[in-house]
């Protein structure tokens, strides 16, 4: 089923405020390449970190030179629409320093193009994540804190609800055509959810491509 369609169910969010920009996996500097966000135990799965597990999220990228450079990062909690959660402060969702340096790096050897690989894992010795949700990491020049070179996104889940889904190639538009039909159900009986339409948000996307996402279907 993963090869056809990956579906992600956003955890419960109160949508009380929005920032101007939405976060996504994106590079903003021409010398930066190969941005990846991976689950350490399964690099082919979605970057979902189960809170309380021993697993890690690994974020890595390449700077296309051997010239020494210093980068830092900051962790941002986002709402279901990947905008900064305005109602939360950093002490609500993390323990540690809000900005930290990227310590892990190595230079390429015997390659056609020289590059330096940088990476960071979550959680780490500097940051402990306290709550579930959508998270964005802003990577920036350590000497220019407003100069963001890349953003990377991952999820933290507490597994408080169960999700079941079924994919079929038989749709109103034909059989084995260019469309798939997805039926899914979300069991929220373990939580108090007074207003499902406002507190449960769903996102359906194909093969990890957020540009194909279908947001908040009834």
């Amino acid at each position: 089923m993963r090869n056809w369609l990956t579906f992600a169910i956003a955890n419960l969010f109160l949508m009380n405020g929005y920032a101007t920009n939405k976060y996504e996996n994106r590079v903003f500097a021409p010398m930066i390449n190969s941005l990846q966000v991976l689950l350490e135990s399964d690099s082919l799965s979605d970057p979902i970190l189960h809170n309380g597990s021993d697993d890690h999220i690994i974020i890595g990228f390449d700077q296309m030179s051997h010239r020494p450079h210093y980068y830092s990062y900051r962790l941002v909690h986002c709402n279901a629409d990947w905008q900064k959660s305005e109602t939360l402060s950093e002490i609500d969702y993390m323990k540690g320093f809000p900005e930290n340096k990227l310590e892990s790096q190595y230079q390429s050897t015997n390659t056609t193009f020289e590059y330096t690989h940088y990476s960071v894992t979550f959680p780490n010795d500097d940051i402990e994540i306290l709550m579930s949700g959508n998270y964005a990491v802003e990577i920036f020049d350590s000497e220019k804190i407003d100069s963001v070179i890349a953003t990377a996104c991952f999820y933290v889940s507490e597994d408080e609800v169960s999700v079941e889904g079924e994919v079929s190639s038989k749709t109103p538009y034909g059989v084995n055509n260019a469309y798939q039909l997805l039926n899914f159900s979300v069991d929220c009986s373990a939580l108090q959810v007074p207003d499902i339409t406002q507190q449960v948000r769903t996102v359906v996307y194909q093969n990890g491509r957020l540009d194909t996402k279908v947001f908040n279907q009834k």
Side-chain angles (χ1 to χ4, degrees):
M1 184 180 297
R2 179 182 298 168
N3 293 332
W4 275 7
L5 188 67
T6 301
F7 64 95
I9 303 300
N11 287 320
L12 304 183
F13 290 93
L14 294 176
M15 308 295 286
N16 292 328
Y18 292 90
T20 302
N21 298 317
K22 295 182 180 181
Y23 286 98
E24 60 182 340
N25 294 336
R26 187 175 178 184
V27 170
F28 301 97
M31 290 296 290
I32 303 301
N33 282 303
S34 305
L35 176 66
Q36 289 187 311
V37 186
L38 305 173
L39 186 65
E40 185 178 42
S41 63
D42 185 359
S43 61
L44 296 180
S45 71
D46 292 322
I48 302 174
L49 182 65
H50 297 275
N51 210 3
S53 73
D54 295 328
D55 218 336
H56 293 83
I57 294 292
I58 302 175
I59 297 174
F61 63 91
D62 297 332
Q63 173 192 277
M64 303 307 295
S65 75
H66 281 175
R67 180 174 58 86
H69 209 100
Y70 298 99
Y71 296 108
S72 299
Y73 66 89
R74 65 175 67 92
L75 186 67
V76 179
H77 188 282
C78 299
N79 58 33
D81 202 27
W82 287 105
Q83 297 169 322
K84 183 177 180 181
S85 299
E86 297 292 348
T87 58
L88 296 176
S89 64
E90 291 166 343
I91 61 174
D92 292 323
Y93 61 83
M94 60 165 284
K95 182 185 295 184
F97 297 103
E99 297 180 356
N100 300 279
K101 290 187 177 180
L102 282 174
E103 303 289 353
S104 179
Q105 58 177 282
Y106 64 83
Q107 293 183 336
S108 62
T109 57
N110 300 322
T111 55
T112 303
F113 297 98
E114 293 183 344
Y115 67 88
T116 304
H117 183 77
Y118 296 82
S119 65
V120 61
T121 63
F122 292 94
N124 55 48
D125 292 338
D126 297 316
I127 287 183
E128 178 185 353
I129 299 174
L130 301 178
M131 64 187 307
S132 59
N134 295 344
Y135 282 89
V137 178
E138 294 180 340
I139 302 168
F140 58 93
D141 189 318
S142 297
E143 298 179 354
K144 304 175 182 177
I145 62 174
D146 293 327
S147 177
V148 176
I149 64 162
T151 54
C153 301
F154 64 94
Y155 311 88
V156 176
S157 171
E158 294 183 12
D159 298 336
E160 293 286 346
V161 302
S162 62
V163 181
E164 295 183 357
E166 181 182 7
V167 178
S168 172
S169 62
K170 183 179 180 181
T171 75
Y173 303 102
V175 179
N176 296 328
N177 207 334
Y179 303 93
Q180 291 90 43
L181 177 66
L182 170 64
N183 293 316
F184 62 86
S185 62
V186 183
D187 182 2
C188 300
S189 58
L191 299 174
Q192 292 184 353
V193 187
D195 190 346
I196 292 178
T197 61
Q198 294 298 318
Q199 292 180 281
V200 177
R201 299 298 177 102
T202 63
V203 181
V204 180
Y205 57 91
Q206 182 183 32
N207 298 332
R209 291 180 51 192
L210 293 179
D211 61 307
T212 66
K213 70 179 180 181
V214 179
F215 186 71
N216 207 33
Q217 287 294 99
K218 302 300 181 184

